[in-house]
Amino acid sequence: MSAIPFNLDFCFDENLREVPLSKAEMMKGIEFLKKQIPIFQNDKNEVAKIYGLMGVYLRIVKELEESKKYLRLAIQTYESTSNDNSLFVNELRLAHTYQWQKDFYTSNQMFKKLMEEAEICDERRGILDFVYQHYAKNLFDQENYDLAISYFHKALNLRIQKGQKDLIESTEYAIHICKGKL
């Protein structure tokens, strides 16, 4: 798939939510992605990747039902390709969308299942920091700040080991915001 010719950048607000730098550009990017699906119809992995990206960007622009729809399509498509890592990532994305809908019963169950899998499965260990980070945001939205901070610290420790500055800064920002709520 070619590069998306629209600005899909975002920042984090004081509620640790992604906010598009330009909602109009992000909406155009989503439409661009939708038009790519027929082009790649014979490549299930590429179509699933597009569905997953659409699900993420639809969540960011607060089209949560559409986000769930495309993330479920990504999951179904990856199930048919045996691409377990991408399947896992899209399950994480779907849990995040449930969180934004404040369906904490579902998001909590999904995050706990994903954490258990990531903690015991070597193939998922590389993204365990993302699982901890997103679960912490889920706890933050439920105003469980102490537990959220503990999971942000777990994510931070893993991210320090990875040495990825932008991820470290994101987690440090989340910890700062969370501590401000105590």
Side-chain angles (χ1 to χ4, degrees), residues 89-132:
V89 167
N90 282 282
E91 288 174 339
L92 182 62
R93 291 170 170 171
L94 182 59
H96 202 126
T97 299
Y98 278 110
Q99 169 201 335
W100 277 38
Q101 286 187 309
K102 298 191 183 311
D103 181 353
F104 297 122
Y105 176 80
T106 304
S107 65
N108 287 336
Q109 286 187 319
M110 291 182 74
F111 279 119
K112 286 177 183 173
K113 174 191 162 286
L114 293 164
M115 267 193 304
E116 288 172 9
E117 184 177 338
E119 288 171 344
I120 62 171
C121 180
D122 289 338
E123 290 133 12
R124 310 285 183 271
R125 191 121 335 140
I127 56 175
L128 184 56
D129 60 313
F130 287 95
V131 178
Y132 287 153

Side-chain angles (χ1 to χ4, degrees), residues 32-83:
F32 174 84
L33 286 167
K34 196 177 282 188
K35 290 176 183 172
Q36 302 304 301
I37 295 167
I39 296 169
F40 292 98
Q41 64 186 346
N42 294 325
D43 185 343
K44 285 185 177 185
N45 277 307
E46 197 64 31
V47 169
K49 180 180 176 185
I50 293 168
Y51 288 152
L53 288 173
M54 288 177 63
V56 169
Y57 296 128
L58 285 161
R59 177 179 47 79
I60 294 171
V61 298
K62 299 180 182 168
E63 296 286 339
L64 302 179
E65 287 301 320
E66 284 292 295
S67 172
K68 288 189 330 190
K69 171 186 165 184
Y70 282 99
L71 291 170
R72 286 183 186 126
L73 285 170
I75 290 166
Q76 290 171 353
T77 306
Y78 280 127
E79 285 173 341
S80 71
T81 67
S82 301
N83 189 333

